[in-house]
Amino acid sequence: MSAGTIPVEPLAEEETLSLGERAYRRLRDGIVQGTLRPGSRISERSMAQALGISAQPVREALRRLEHDGMVVTLPRRGTVVAEIGPERLAELGRIRAALEGVAAALAAERMSGEDLAELAAIVRSMRGATAAADAEALAELNERFHAILQGATGNLFLVKSLEALRAYDDLGRLRALGSTPKDMPKALREHASILAALKTRDPALAEARMRHHVLRSLTTNGVLAAPRQGR
Amino acid sequence: MSAGTIPVEPLAEEETLSLGERAYRRLRDGIVQGTLRPGSRISERSMAQALGISAQPVREALRRLEHDGMVVTLPRRGTVVAEIGPERLAELGRIRAALEGVAAALAAERMSGEDLAELAAIVRSMRGATAAADAEALAELNERFHAILQGATGNLFLVKSLEALRAYDDLGRLRALGSTPKDMPKALREHASILAALKTRDPALAEARMRHHVLRSLTTNGVLAAPRQGR
DNA sequence: AACTGCCAGCTGCTATAGCAGTTGTCCATG
DNA sequence: CATGGACAACTGCTATAGCAGCTGGCAGTT
């Protein structure tokens, strides 16, 4: 590595995932899409045979799902898909709003200039996509916005918790945050205001704005009900 | 189950834990107590042999620890104990404050009358223990207070996340929240005020007070620094 | 001496087999 | 008919063995 840099891209970070990871995603998708309905019993052996793999990866996946609250397993009894009603979804949404708020606060303190610039670029792209009413592009940009912000915190616990919560997005037939056409301008303004708070390194302001943004978004998407206690 | 309830205590809830659970606690304690220092490499096989068990439970424990942020494992490379500096502890403390706040909000909405009465009894006991300056009793009561409140939310994800965060308590040679003698009266007042908010079914107020309580407690214990941005 | 390729020794990961509880059914018993 | 106990068929849990990838060092070549 003395001479100039080698002109090749690094390999894709996850060309082949572990069986446990694949089983986890498979089961998770099955649950949120309704294929595996609440109350369904999931046997390690049966599911392993159905997936064509061994029982260990399935077990590992079930443990993770249990941590996520999607299944509940009684020792030596069995594992069943948990009931995830609207009220539970609302709770998880409020938890998510709180965590994303903390992430914004931490990001306001630690975030690098490059990350800030990237967020600014994303917000600019959002402006165009909003004008074009491109819902798909907005969903993608929104995902990147939050991902960069969360990654900037450098806190793995926070990132993983939010990742787990994000898995619930596909449940109530809602796709991604801020994708409904009517609230696109709102979401754009909110993202811009969050970015402004990050630029001024104001943790409290960034947190309040992020939290409000997530709560508002979940409300317009029907996950949360009335604007009872917000902020 | 027709006649009166059977006059026997249920079996001790965890007379014999699974090996995976025991390995998890063992390793977790080793990390927070400093026996397993940051950077230490943990091999599934070696650790299994050291604990006198198989490799699977150890692997399961490592996965959980990774989720908690205490270890980080690179696929096919190895698992090492994560570095947990003061800044990370502070982050986790802020996350915890936010989550306990949400728990208080949810509890204010859902909590039953019996649970409220139990919390009231605990606060009364706290009053006595504070007068007697009984730190140990206060720590115990404090733990029960938060446990009951969190359990009243009925949200497993929330409970498990807070449980994971609680594991970090033993790290910076601090034992439990609110155990330092000087802030006993403060903690007592805060618990009482939280209880009051719960009684009036005010989620926003309960959340704000709980969050302030946790942040204040972590601050006086040295986990958090100046009262920069609170509330 | 500097570089390249090979290879033993790790590592996490997966498969197979078997243990130990739990449950529901069926038959013997009151 | 009602009741209780034993057995079979599950379940999750654990142990053992072996696979696949990565690392570091040792030799062989230039």
Side-chain angles (χ1 to χ4, degrees), chain B residues 42 44-45 59 76:
Chain B
I42 299 182
E44 295 180 356
R45 281 171 174 75
R59 172 176 171 78
R76 312 276 183 181

Side-chain angles (χ1 to χ4, degrees), chain A residues 147-186:
Chain A
I148 291 173
L149 190 147
Q150 289 164 25
T153 66
N155 192 298
L156 277 178
F157 183 89
L158 192 55
V159 171
K160 288 185 181 176
S161 297
L162 283 169
E163 187 176 354
L165 288 174
R166 207 173 304 127
Y168 287 89
D169 277 359
D170 293 332
L171 249 183
R173 67 181 163 286
L174 77 139
R175 290 301 303 169
L177 256 58
S179 60
T180 50
K182 52 180 180 180
D183 64 353
M184 285 181 185
K186 273 189 205 165

Side-chain angles (χ1 to χ4, degrees), chain B residues 4-205:
Chain B
T5 58
I6 300 161
V8 292
E9 285 292 324
L11 286 180
E13 68 270 285
E14 293 166 344
E15 188 157 0
T16 171
L17 291 84
S18 74
L19 290 184
E21 180 70 26
R22 279 190 272 178
Y24 169 72
R25 302 190 181 187
R26 186 74 153 273
L27 293 178
R28 176 165 61 76
D29 293 349
I31 291 176
V32 298
Q33 292 175 5
T35 308
L36 294 173
R37 278 178 298 189
S40 305
R41 297 174 49 82
I42 299 182
S43 162
E44 295 180 356
R45 281 171 174 75
S46 317
M47 185 55 67
Q49 189 174 1
L51 295 178
I53 61 178
S54 175
Q56 251 74 14
V58 174
R59 172 176 171 78
E60 186 170 321
L62 289 178
R63 294 303 233 192
R64 293 179 60 183
L65 288 172
E66 184 176 22
H67 184 97
D68 294 349
M70 287 195 177
V71 305
V72 46
T73 130
L74 298 84
R76 312 276 183 181
R77 295 277 305 270
T79 303
V80 297
V81 178
E83 182 84 32
I84 306 173
E87 62 291 333
R88 186 120 307 167
L89 275 181
E91 293 171 9
L92 294 173
R94 288 160 74 173
I95 295 171
R96 183 175 176 180
L99 288 181
E100 297 235 32
V102 176
L106 294 177
E109 301 171 358
R110 285 159 177 60
M111 195 168 231
S112 70
E114 298 86 40
D115 284 340
L116 275 176
E118 197 166 351
L119 283 191
I122 290 177
V123 171
R124 272 194 300 273
S125 301
M126 280 179 170
R127 211 173 299 275
T130 300
D134 188 345
E136 183 146 359
L138 275 179
E140 166 77 13
L141 289 170
N142 180 74
E143 208 165 311
R144 283 180 54 200
F145 184 92
H146 290 262
I148 291 173
L149 189 148
Q150 290 164 25
T153 67
N155 192 298
L156 278 178
F157 183 89
L158 192 56
V159 171
K160 288 184 182 175
S161 296
L162 283 169
E163 188 176 353
L165 288 173
R166 207 174 304 128
Y168 287 89
D169 277 357
D170 294 333
L171 250 182
R173 68 180 161 286
L174 77 139
R175 290 302 299 171
L177 258 60
S179 62
T180 49
K182 52 180 179 178
D183 63 355
M184 285 181 185
K186 275 189 204 168
L188 174 60
R189 277 196 301 272
E190 288 163 359
H191 282 117
S193 72
I194 292 169
L195 175 60
L198 292 176
K199 279 183 180 174
T200 58
R201 305 288 181 183
D202 189 333
L205 187 61

Side-chain angles (χ1 to χ4, degrees), chain A residues 42-45 56 59 76 79:
Chain A
I42 298 181
S43 163
E44 295 179 358
R45 282 171 174 76
Q56 250 73 16
R59 173 177 170 81
R76 311 277 183 179
T79 303

Side-chain angles (χ1 to χ4, degrees), chain B residues 200-222:
Chain B
T200 58
R201 305 288 181 183
D202 189 333
L205 187 61
E207 173 164 10
R209 284 178 173 172
M210 173 60 89
R211 188 166 185 179
H212 174 268
H213 163 57
V214 175
L215 287 175
R216 199 273 318 155
S217 180
L218 290 174
T219 302
T220 63
N221 284 32

Side-chain angles (χ1 to χ4, degrees), chain A residues 81-125:
Chain A
V81 179
E83 181 85 31
I84 306 174
E87 62 291 334
R88 186 121 308 166
L89 275 181
E91 294 171 10
L92 295 173
R94 288 161 75 174
I95 295 171
R96 182 175 175 181
L99 288 181
E100 296 235 31
V102 176
L106 294 178
E109 301 172 358
R110 286 159 177 60
M111 194 169 232
S112 71
E114 297 87 38
D115 285 339
L116 275 176
E118 197 166 352
L119 283 191
I122 291 178
V123 171
R124 273 194 299 275
S125 301

